[in-house]
Amino acid sequence: MTESMTVRRGADTHAGEPSETAPFGTARHLIHCPLSWGNCLDTPGLGEEHFVLADRLPRDHPLFNDGPAHFHDMQVVTESVREIGEFVGHRYFGVPTERTGLFYRYDLRLTDLAPWRARPGGGSRLSTRLRAVPTHVVNGIPRGVEFHTEVSIDGTPCAAGSASLVFLTPALYRNQLAFAQPGRTAPEEHGRAAVTVPPTAAHRVPAAEVGRADAGNVLVSDPERLPSGRLSTWVRTQHVAPVFTGREGRLAGLHVLEALRQSALLSAGRRHGLASARCTLAASRVHFRGSADAGPPLRCVAVAGEVEPDPDGRARVPVTLTLTQGRKAVAEATAVVVQDL
């Protein structure tokens, strides 16, 4: 699971256009689109709600604009939804504010690659339509929210997906944090030896291999080749760029998602020679199995499938990924890497 950050009330607005020059996220507008007149006052309810999240694609973000600039980073969508998810649950569905929202599943697929190609000057309008549905309602309070997303860039539909959010009571959230701490899970690992981290875990791959320019944004180490075409790489959790900093000793959701993205590109490049500078994830599906601690490194095992053409003849490679910390599963993911020459 990953943390969800609460949006300031000032970001919830019903009018205005994002500034042409405002950085990503600072001009973000969450527009509530009630389905009936009865919901116009934004009073909490238990029915489906619709929203539009409007912003500008970033121009100088420390991560999303770090790279060859051939594509916009699709993670801008998941990060935006992650940042407003908890707020929507508290504000529009009456979830008590002391309950913490954790996303445990993301799914995003590109439906049109053309709008994702970066243009000189940037500043393209990013619009995400959200359909929010409360789930597992107990005594009038939902325990989760399902989000269904439709993404447009400059008015052109280009992606669709979903995300699942669960709200934890303070006691359950404390248990979740405790489970993330090494040494508090399954004493002695049932007699199994502790995982040994090799010295090569500190050797980051060249930034260009994972579609980045700044070495400080590289999270994965030089991989080890395993049987059956698998690659195993270590993921840094300490001494990372500030953009990856989480809260309460946990890894930020962006840290985990970026580690999976880098591992997928690295795997497709090492096995099939795809050029990361011309690649993006055409699809990504992530299921978080548990929390990860900002302490020991994580291990990611990636398996790249065979190259196959997409409908437009571009090379694409399916990749399955498993992320663990110690003996504990953190995330399972599937991704499709596409090369656009």
Side-chain angles (χ1 to χ4, degrees):
M1 297 180 182
T2 67
E3 65 186 84
S4 168
M5 296 188 292
T6 304
V7 170
R8 298 186 303 273
R9 288 295 178 93
D12 181 29
T13 182
H14 293 261
E17 178 70 12
S19 165
E20 288 285 344
T21 59
F24 171 68
T26 60
R28 185 175 300 155
H29 294 257
L30 178 63
I31 306 166
H32 182 208
C33 307
L35 299 180
S36 68
W37 286 104
N39 291 338
C40 282
L41 296 179
D42 296 336
T43 55
L46 294 176
E48 179 179 305
E49 296 288 354
H50 290 195
F51 304 88
V52 173
L53 188 60
D55 201 354
R56 292 273 168 184
L57 285 163
R59 290 183 175 181
D60 56 1
H61 190 275
L63 180 68
F64 300 148
N65 296 117
D66 176 42
H70 185 67
F71 287 110
H72 299 299
D73 196 324
M74 65 184 293
Q75 291 184 127
V76 299
V77 176
T78 52
E79 186 68 359
S80 296
V81 174
R82 189 180 70 85
E83 289 181 348
I84 63 94
E86 190 178 61
F87 171 79
V88 167
H90 291 157
R91 176 68 176 84
Y92 294 97
F93 296 120
V95 178
T97 56
E98 65 269 17
R99 296 191 181 184
T100 302
L102 300 177
F103 277 103
Y104 63 91
R105 186 173 62 227
Y106 289 108
D107 176 17
L108 186 65
R109 59 195 180 281
L110 307 190
T111 56
D112 186 351
L113 195 64
W116 290 94
R117 297 188 183 103
R119 299 180 303 178
S124 299
R125 289 176 290 117
L126 177 67
S127 176
T128 304
R129 292 189 174 274
L130 296 169
R131 179 166 60 89
V133 181
T135 60
H136 306 296
V137 179
V138 178
N139 296 326
I141 298 176
R143 294 185 176 180
V145 178
E146 292 282 339
F147 291 93
H148 303 272
T149 61
E150 296 178 0
V151 184
S152 298
I153 294 178
D154 289 337
T156 301
C158 57
S162 62
S164 300
L165 176 68
V166 64
F167 287 92
L168 301 183
T169 63
L172 288 175
Y173 182 60
R174 286 193 297 271
N175 289 340
Q176 182 75 15
L177 291 179
F179 184 74
Q181 301 294 325
R184 297 190 184 181
T185 63
E188 303 299 328
E189 292 295 339
H190 301 290
R192 291 178 296 186
V195 175
T196 301
V197 180
T200 54
H203 301 161
R204 300 187 225 196
V205 298
E209 278 203 78
V210 292
R212 297 301 179 197
D214 183 354
N217 283 331
V218 177
L219 297 174
V220 298
S221 70
D222 197 44
E224 173 189 1
R225 293 186 181 273
L226 302 177
S228 303
R230 297 176 297 159
L231 286 183
S232 173
T233 184
W234 292 94
V235 178
R236 299 170 64 91
T237 61
Q238 295 182 330
H239 309 296
V240 296
V243 70
F244 299 122
T245 302
R247 64 183 184 186
E248 299 178 296
R250 299 174 65 246
L251 295 183
L254 181 59
H255 180 287
V256 176
L257 293 174
E258 174 65 10
L260 292 170
R261 188 199 71 86
Q262 291 185 15
S263 298
L265 289 184
L266 182 64
S267 179
R270 289 288 178 100
R271 182 171 183 195
H272 297 295
L274 270 63
S276 63
R278 310 289 291 194
C279 288
T280 189
L281 299 189
S284 178
R285 186 180 186 90
V286 183
H287 185 194
F288 290 88
R289 308 293 296 184
S291 296
D293 177 60
L298 286 80
R299 188 186 191 203
C300 186
V301 175
V303 183
E306 298 301 324
V307 179
E308 55 186 22
D310 73 358
D312 295 308
R314 289 181 289 257
R316 65 181 178 186
V317 176
V319 183
T320 60
L321 306 112
T322 304
L323 195 63
T324 57
Q325 188 173 47
R327 300 291 183 181
K328 182 183 60 188
V330 173
E332 297 171 347
T334 58
V336 177
V337 179
V338 62
Q339 180 175 256
D340 181 49
L341 298 177

